[in-house]
Amino acid sequence: MTEQKPTKRQDILDAAIVLFAERGYNGTTVPMIAEAAKVGAGTIYRYFDHKENLVNVLFQEKVKQLSHHLMQGYPNDSSIREQFRHIFQRIHHFAIGDSHALHFIDSHCSEIFLTEESNQVFDSFIQYICDVIEVGQKRGEIILMQTEALIGIVYGAIVQILKMLRSDVLDGSELLMKSIEECCWNAIRSH
């Protein structure tokens, strides 16, 4: 069976995520994306009306991929501790498999150019995490604190750790990742 060549649209998306993750939205131009994708700038406009459209399509795709990744094998009937472990490991696995995606999502999730649809996709992802936290609080497994603060404590730590892994500041060993996951859990668990 022969391997299919990625489409020009996919080439554009692949180039754009690297540039947006590394340079940000404002630091990335359509000609830069075209050069990285090895297409003409006009080709980009055949697929995307403008740069804002491109970043929104990319944002929605990556958040949906992350959400789908978290749902795979989700231990619904397990303890909140096991659900937390699953979420942590799946976010880490997602970031390793697509090294720019989580950084791109994190650095663009509150930008003014995101459309209502992009914001809804992201809010749905966050609501999923909020639901896990709220169930954990009701069960007495997670401390009573504003849900958004708890997300900030854990998600902020995960994003920073993964940024340090991308920069080779941390080695990413299994033992280290288990220790980090345990520390993140200890930060929000009910004592």
Side-chain angles (χ1 to χ4, degrees):
M1 183 175 237
T2 60
E3 193 173 310
Q4 271 191 310
K5 181 187 180 310
T7 65
K8 286 185 183 188
R9 181 184 187 278
Q10 191 60 52
D11 291 341
I12 293 165
L13 291 171
D14 291 345
I17 193 161
V18 172
L19 291 166
F20 286 140
E22 292 176 356
R23 302 177 59 87
Y25 178 78
N26 291 325
T28 302
T29 64
V30 170
M32 292 167 83
I33 296 168
E35 182 180 335
K38 295 180 175 55
V39 299
T43 302
I44 291 176
Y45 293 114
R46 273 190 240 139
Y47 294 98
F48 307 98
D49 295 339
H50 40 74
K51 185 173 82 166
E52 189 174 297
N53 175 244
L54 169 58
V55 78
N56 275 280
V57 166
L58 188 57
F59 184 82
Q60 291 170 33
E61 283 186 14
K62 292 302 175 182
V63 173
K64 287 175 183 177
Q65 287 172 6
L66 175 58
S67 296
H68 176 73
H69 200 76
L70 290 182
M71 303 283 183
Q72 288 179 322
Y74 188 77
N76 285 311
D77 298 327
S78 297
S79 69
I80 294 299
R81 175 66 181 103
E82 288 304 312
Q83 292 173 359
F84 178 87
R85 177 174 288 121
H86 174 85
I87 291 169
F88 183 93
Q89 290 174 348
R90 297 304 289 173
I91 290 174
H92 176 238
H93 186 262
F94 177 79
I96 296 302
D98 190 345
S99 64
H100 292 94
L102 193 64
H103 180 64
F104 166 74
I105 292 168
D106 181 59
S107 63
H108 290 78
C109 67
S110 59
E111 293 288 352
I112 59 170
F113 51 75
L114 289 181
T115 63
E116 184 176 332
E117 185 179 355
S118 291
N119 286 318
Q120 288 173 348
V121 168
F122 186 73
D123 290 347
S124 178
F125 163 71
I126 292 298
Q127 188 58 53
Y128 174 76
I129 304 298
C130 288
D131 292 346
V132 172
I133 290 171
E134 289 168 7
V135 169
Q137 289 174 324
K138 286 178 186 168
R139 292 182 186 173
E141 295 180 55
I142 294 178
I143 60 173
L144 294 176
M145 182 186 288
Q146 187 174 343
T147 303
E148 293 79 7
L150 294 172
I151 289 172
I153 290 167
V154 175
Y155 183 72
I158 291 171
V159 168
Q160 185 61 33
I161 295 297
L162 293 172
K163 188 185 299 182
M164 292 185 337
L165 288 171
R166 279 183 53 208
S167 301
D168 291 326
V169 172
L170 298 175
D171 64 23
S173 70
E174 187 176 335
L175 180 61
L176 177 63
M177 294 313 296
K178 282 184 179 182
S179 296
I180 291 169
E181 184 255 326
E182 186 69 30
C183 287
C184 287
W185 171 249
N186 287 334
I188 67 166
R189 76 176 174 89
S190 182
H191 297 280

